[in-house]
Each structure stands twice: as C-alpha cells, then as structure tokens.
Amino acid sequence: MDSRVQKLGYRGAVTLTAKGHATRQRIVEGTSAHLRRGDPAGVTLDDIRAITGTSKGQLFHYFPGGKEELFLAVARFEADRVIDDQQPHLGALTSWAAWRRWREAVVARYRVQGPYCPLATLMDQVGSTPGAAEVVGQLLERWEGEIRRGIVAMQEQGEVDDHLDAGRAAAAMIAGIQGGVQVLRSTGRSAHLEAAMDLVIEHLRGA
Amino acid sequence: MDSRVQKLGYRGAVTLTAKGHATRQRIVEGTSAHLRRGDPAGVTLDDIRAITGTSKGQLFHYFPGGKEELFLAVARFEADRVIDDQQPHLGALTSWAAWRRWREAVVARYRVQGPYCPLATLMDQVGSTPGAAEVVGQLLERWEGEIRRGIVAMQEQGEVDDHLDAGRAAAAMIAGIQGGVQVLRSTGRSAHLEAAMDLVIEHLRGA
C-alpha cells in the first residue's frame, strides 16, 4: 500500500498527501488520548475539534462517516498499540529468554492498563459499524501468527518437540491471554494471566 | 441456611415459606427465559408481571429493590446454570475419561450458546449494583475450585505429577476457557476453546 493512501474504512480509500496523513493521524491520536481519560459515549465531534484543533471541514474531510468512522480509526490505532506494546519481543520469540521477556511485557502492560481497556470500550461504541468486527479479528490473527512463528522457530532449533501442533498451541496461548486479561480487568489480579502464559510456555518446553 | 430463608441480595434476607420460595423461583426462571429471547435493557417490570403472571405487590414483595434486584437474582440463577450444565462431570474429575467428558460438555454448551451469553448481558445491566461483581467472582471461584479438586484427585491416583501446582493449573484452565469462550462468541468458532482445554489437559497428563 502506498504510504500516502490511507484506508478510510467502509467509505473506501482516498489519497492523502504526507501532510494530510499527518493531520489525520494527529486527529486519531488526540482522540485516543482524550478517550483514554473519559467516557467515549459522551464525547461529541465538537469536543474532538476542540481537543485536536481542527475545523469541522477538516474533520469531515478525513472522516466523512463522522464519529463512527473516527472511532473505528481510533480502534485500529489502539489495536496496533496492543501489538506495539509487546515489541520487540513478540516479533522475535527465538529463544526462551525472549519468551520470558515477552511474557513479562504482556503481564506488565495489562497490569498498568487495569480495568479500563480502551479497545474494548471503543468496540462497545462501534460494534455495529461495518468493519468493527474485523478490527479485533485481525488483531487476534496477527497476534496469534507471531506466537505461532515463535513456536516454529523454537521447533527449528530443536527446543520444542516437532510433533507439537504450533497453530493449536498458539490458539491456546491467545485464549489464555484473553481470559487472563478478562479476569485481571474484573479482579485487578494478574494471577490467571500469568498462570495461563506460564503453563503454555512450560508445555512448549516439555516441562 | 434454612431452605425457607432466601437471600435477597443487598436488601438482606427475608423468611419465605415453601410456597413463597416457589413463587420467587418462578419469577426468576420466567424472567430468565424471557431475557434469553430478547433485549434485557428494554424489559420493564410490567413485562415481567405479564410473563410470570404476578401482581405488582407480589413482585415488590419478593424483589423490593425492583428490576435491579430481580436481574441480580436472575444473574445468580444463570451463574448456577453455568456450573449445572457441566455436571455431573465437573464435580467428579477423577479419571481421564471424566476429564474428556467434561471437556466435551463445556465445548458443546458454549457452541450451543453461540454469541449471546445471558450472564454477560445481565452483568451489563447490573454491573453497578452492589453484589454484581460477586456473582461472576463467586462463579469463577467455584468453577476453579472444582477443577483444582479434580487435579488433586488425579495427583492422589498418581496420574498427575505431584510437583505440579494444582491451583495454578486450575487458574490457567479457567483463563483458557474464559478467553476461548470470548473468541467463540465473536467468531462462532470453538477452536480456541478446544485448543486451550486440550493443552492444559495434555500438560496435566505430562504428554
């Protein structure tokens, strides 16, 4: 994809200049920062104009679908952050030390995040928007793919049994993380998240 | 607890006769069946009176806290069903055949349930009610306790390594089930739930 072409969700794609791209990104990031502090349902486009210092015309130029389209773009930005916060570890799970560092990064990220999950809150807002289900679906797929590649890398090094189904183990890890985060969000405790990640890693190590 | 004493959540406890208990239970079960068909947010107490064939006076006698208190009672009823649907397997995880039957029962239950989770929907409604967090907390605790007891039973038979931390493995199983069900609810596919449960069971078996 050309870097100047920015997908605008269900409204199709428009070509943005580098400056246009930067402005659009500024609106998305400003909205994200604002939503992290408060209640997404109560935010108006006027609030967003004020926060991001943009005119009504600019906002509708970049987000012709209005608040829903903007929120969907913010959801994509938050989904990217979920992956980014796990890097560089997630992208290079090629040693047990890397797996341990990744496990620590995931637990630390969700402990800091606590009960409020920006992505979950946004999904509550845009759940009925075309393309909304894809945001979470693609995030989980990408996440699971990185874990699967890490398991295969360990198999190639002879560190994980060749007979183990890497795809199934990666799916189990994703399920454990999702459920562990859900328990952490409602109880404030990370024990379930840690237990799930540790058990899958121990299973990979054949311990 | 005397069988005629029925806890009424944050309103304290009142003594009910056997007949009163039956009436209260009929209101809870009728409301549950109705909510499973539709939108909880839109249901009024008049709807519930009509469905359950009760008078306004009766409804307020059993649920002085109104709709919130009734919904909380329905949430407790749904939480009990989550456990009941896994019986008799969950309560007697004393052989690998029992573990397999339990695993099948859980997967089948959530496949049939699909995207609509009665308990999750009720929790969206009563999340701010005193006692609401306890409904899910107590469910998970009870569920995890049964799994932990099953692991200990297998350790006593020499089927699971004595050094394995039964509490931690049970927590990992709960996280995997929660996350697997979450993925199933949004994608309709049970692969993650199955992968998570199978991996923990294989780990217990030392496979």
Side-chain angles (χ1 to χ4, degrees):
Chain A
M1 191 174 82
D2 187 290
S3 69
R4 293 181 309 160
V5 176
Q6 179 69 39
K7 266 194 161 177
L8 282 180
Y10 56 98
R11 298 280 163 161
V14 299
T15 304
L16 295 183
T17 61
K19 198 183 156 201
H21 182 80
T23 305
R24 185 180 186 279
Q25 189 60 18
R26 184 166 55 78
I27 297 169
V28 168
E29 291 185 19
T31 308
S32 156
H34 183 73
L35 292 182
R36 279 172 171 247
R37 282 192 298 269
D39 162 40
V43 172
T44 66
L45 282 182
D46 283 339
D47 294 334
I48 290 161
R49 284 203 303 109
I51 301 151
T52 59
T54 42
S55 68
K56 213 169 217 168
Q58 268 181 311
L59 214 53
F60 277 97
H61 172 67
Y62 295 110
F63 304 97
K67 187 170 155 179
E68 254 191 12
E69 186 175 348
L70 171 59
F71 273 26
L72 196 58
V74 178
R76 282 199 201 93
F77 173 72
E78 294 290 352
D80 285 343
R81 276 176 78 156
V82 170
I83 298 288
D84 291 348
D85 287 352
Q86 300 178 57
Q87 302 295 16
H89 319 296
L90 178 62
L93 293 171
T94 54
S95 69
W96 292 125
W99 280 83
R100 199 185 56 241
R101 284 192 298 267
W102 168 64
R103 180 261 195 221
E104 293 303 326
V106 171
V107 172
R109 180 200 197 275
Y110 285 103
R111 266 204 202 129
V112 169
Q113 185 174 280
Y116 178 73
C117 172
L119 189 55
T121 312
L122 278 158
M123 292 315 295
D124 285 344
Q125 295 296 312
V126 299
S128 57
T129 312
E134 283 155 56
V135 175
V136 170
Q138 284 171 0
L139 165 62
L140 290 184
E141 214 169 281
R142 204 174 136 201
W143 197 346
E144 194 171 314
E146 297 277 17
I147 297 168
R148 192 174 53 242
R149 274 186 288 282
I151 297 171
V152 171
M154 298 306 277
Q155 284 178 317
E156 283 165 356
Q157 294 175 49
E159 293 284 343
V160 169
D161 189 336
D162 269 345
H163 296 94
L164 183 136
D165 184 332
R168 219 180 45 135
M173 180 66 98
I174 283 292
I177 294 173
Q178 293 301 303
V181 168
Q182 201 176 312
V183 175
L184 188 154
R185 286 182 61 199
S186 62
T187 65
R189 286 180 285 117
S190 60
H192 287 76
L193 174 60
E194 296 184 62
M197 294 189 79
D198 289 344
L199 187 138
V200 177
I201 292 172
E202 278 166 29
H203 190 69
L204 292 175
R205 299 187 79 153
Chain B
M1 192 174 82
D2 187 289
S3 69
R4 294 181 308 160
V5 176
Q6 179 70 39
K7 265 193 163 175
L8 283 180
Y10 56 98
R11 297 282 163 160
V14 299
T15 304
L16 295 182
T17 61
K19 196 182 157 204
H21 182 81
T23 305
R24 186 179 185 278
Q25 189 61 17
R26 183 165 56 76
I27 297 170
V28 168
E29 291 185 19
T31 308
S32 156
H34 183 73
L35 293 181
R36 281 174 171 246
R37 283 191 299 269
D39 162 41
V43 172
T44 66
L45 281 184
D46 283 338
D47 295 335
I48 290 162
R49 285 203 303 109
I51 301 151
T52 58
T54 40
S55 69
K56 214 169 216 168
Q58 269 182 309
L59 214 53
F60 277 96
H61 172 68
Y62 294 111
F63 304 97
K67 188 170 154 179
E68 256 190 11
E69 186 176 349
L70 171 59
F71 274 27
L72 195 59
V74 178
R76 282 199 202 96
F77 174 71
E78 294 290 352
D80 285 343
R81 276 176 79 154
V82 170
I83 298 287
D84 290 348
D85 288 352
Q86 300 176 58
Q87 300 298 17
H89 319 297
L90 178 63
L93 293 171
T94 54
S95 69
W96 292 124
W99 280 83
R100 199 183 57 242
R101 284 191 298 266
W102 169 63
R103 180 262 195 222
E104 294 302 326
V106 172
V107 173
R109 179 200 198 274
Y110 285 102
R111 267 204 199 127
V112 168
Q113 184 174 281
Y116 179 73
C117 172
L119 188 55
T121 312
L122 278 158
M123 292 314 295
D124 286 344
Q125 295 296 312
V126 298
S128 57
T129 311
E134 282 156 56
V135 175
V136 170
Q138 285 171 358
L139 165 62
L140 290 183
E141 213 169 283
R142 204 174 137 200
W143 197 346
E144 194 171 314
E146 297 277 16
I147 297 169
R148 191 175 53 243
R149 274 186 287 281
I151 297 171
V152 170
M154 297 307 276
Q155 284 178 318
E156 283 165 358
Q157 293 176 48
E159 292 285 341
V160 169
D161 189 335
D162 268 344
H163 296 93
L164 184 135
D165 183 332
R168 220 179 47 133
M173 180 66 99
I174 283 292
I177 294 173
Q178 292 302 303
V181 167
Q182 201 176 317
V183 175
L184 188 155
R185 285 182 61 198
S186 63
T187 65
R189 286 180 286 115
S190 61
H192 287 75
L193 175 61
E194 295 185 61
M197 294 188 79
D198 289 344
L199 187 138
V200 177
I201 292 172
E202 278 166 30
H203 191 69
L204 292 176
R205 299 187 77 153

